[in-house]
Every structure is written in structure tokens, then in C-alpha cells.
Amino acid sequence: MIISMSDILCVTNRSLCGEDFLLRMEKIAAARPAGIILREKDLSPEDYRRLAQQVLQICRAQNVKCILHSFVEAALETEADAIHLPLPVLRTMRREQKAHFSTLGASCHSEEDAREAERLGCTYITAGHIFDTDCKKGLPGRGLEFLESVCRSVNIPVYAIGGIAPENVELVRRAGAAGACVMSGLMQCADAAAYLNDFEKAGK
């Protein structure tokens, strides 16, 4: 069983990483986030599978949940037990495929998305984007009221995504989120353990 004191999911992005990506994965895994979502959608299926094998090994060594993203076949081939999907992909997933995963997540952008993801068997969802973020330049964040409404609409954990930092993470917790997803901060910070600790200390 994987147990983490953190409520932060790391979402990866190789293009933001200022050092060797696998070295960064080792540092983040050692800092014990709630999980690592390997979101490298620009890769070919074969390249993603190879990278996933390496990151899964790193996460298993640290007893950290590794959640693969989008590539269902790669997840099945690597015997991963967790996957995160866009809703259109989740809709096409067969029941026997879902049975391979103890953790199944989806990206949601409305209450309707959230309820559909829950009906389709998700064990958690992400909801966003909550705050303005460089990853979504020109698109205003949906805000805390949106997050509250999504959290109320389902009975599974909701992780806020988009512009989340130690300075505002307590706001999403108060809105009902089980935790938050962080990308650029964990890809670029000088010390992953110290950065995650800042989230843990927020609001205390």
C-alpha cells in the first residue's frame, strides 16, 4: 500500500525541466508527493512506453504512485495500475481494460464532465484550470466557485489544477478539493522536497 502525507500530485512536462528528466523524477519521487502523473503526450506510443518503464521503476523504488497518462496500451504493457485520461479517451475504454487499474482519473472542466467521469468508473478527477496560468495563456481561470461546484457534484476525490502554488493551495483545500496538481513548480524548483513541504505547511 502506498501512503503519502502529501496531497499534491506532480504533473510532468519534460520541456519545462531544467535538468535531466529522470534525475528530476528521482528527486520528486524521493520527496513523496501523493503521486506523479506522467503527462508526456507529445511522445510516440513506443517512446512513451520506454519512458514509462523508467519512471515506474523510480516511483516503485520510492513507494510513490505513478499514474500514466493517455497511453492506455502502454499502461497495460508496463503493468501500471494507475492511469489518467482525457474524457474522450475514457469514453472509449473497454470494461476489461478498466479492470487492470486500481486508480483511474480523468480531466474535467465542468460539473457534467465530473459526473460523467464518476459514472465511467473514475476513482478521482482533476478539475481546472482554477487560477490563471502561463500554461493556459489568455484563458482566465474558472475560479474557486467552479471548483466548489465540481467538488459538490461527485463523491470521488477532486484535485484542483491550474496555477496552484503554496500561496493559494489552502484556498482549493477549503473549496473541497482533496488536493492539487502542480506542474511547472515541481519541474523547475531548486529543491523538490522543500517545495512540497511549502504546500504541506500552507494554512497551518
Side-chain angles (χ1 to χ4, degrees), residues 12 21-22 25 36 38 50-60 66 68:
T12 72
F21 180 69
L22 292 178
M25 290 298 96
I36 295 175
L38 187 63
R50 282 197 290 265
L51 181 63
Q53 287 177 319
Q54 294 172 300
V55 177
L56 280 163
Q57 185 175 3
I58 289 169
C59 288
R60 286 166 180 160
C66 181
L68 302 194

Side-chain angles (χ1 to χ4, degrees), residues 46-203:
E46 179 58 27
D47 286 342
Y48 184 88
R49 184 187 62 78
R50 282 197 290 265
L51 181 63
Q53 287 177 319
Q54 294 172 300
V55 177
L56 280 163
Q57 185 175 3
I58 289 169
C59 288
R60 286 166 180 160
Q62 294 290 346
N63 203 29
V64 169
K65 175 73 74 177
C66 181
I67 305 169
L68 302 194
H69 193 293
S70 294
F71 293 91
V72 175
E73 291 303 321
L76 294 171
E77 290 169 7
T78 56
E79 299 183 352
D81 67 352
I83 192 165
H84 187 98
L85 300 171
L87 263 178
V89 179
L90 177 64
R91 291 178 185 128
T92 67
M93 200 175 183
R94 301 189 303 275
R95 184 176 300 177
E96 60 268 26
Q97 290 177 317
K98 291 179 184 177
H100 288 272
F101 302 102
S102 60
T103 300
L104 178 62
S107 303
C108 297
H109 305 98
S110 68
E111 289 181 41
E112 292 75 18
D113 284 357
R115 287 191 288 264
E116 181 182 5
E118 186 173 33
R119 286 196 305 271
L120 291 172
C122 282
T123 59
Y124 79 95
I125 60 170
T126 61
H129 62 287
I130 304 305
F131 303 114
D132 293 353
T133 171
D134 287 343
C135 296
K136 302 280 186 181
K137 277 189 175 177
L139 290 175
R142 290 184 168 91
L144 293 168
E145 287 187 11
F146 160 78
L147 179 60
E148 287 178 4
S149 68
V150 170
C151 291
R152 287 195 303 266
S153 70
V154 294
N155 296 306
I156 54 177
V158 177
Y159 285 82
I161 191 168
I164 313 295
E167 297 77 37
N168 58 28
V169 68
E170 189 60 21
L171 296 175
V172 304
R173 290 169 177 153
R174 291 175 186 169
C181 299
V182 177
M183 179 188 287
S184 57
L186 279 169
M187 291 294 98
Q188 298 174 329
C189 65
D191 186 327
Y195 191 65
L196 276 176
N197 192 47
D198 288 341
F199 282 95
E200 187 178 334
K201 290 187 298 185

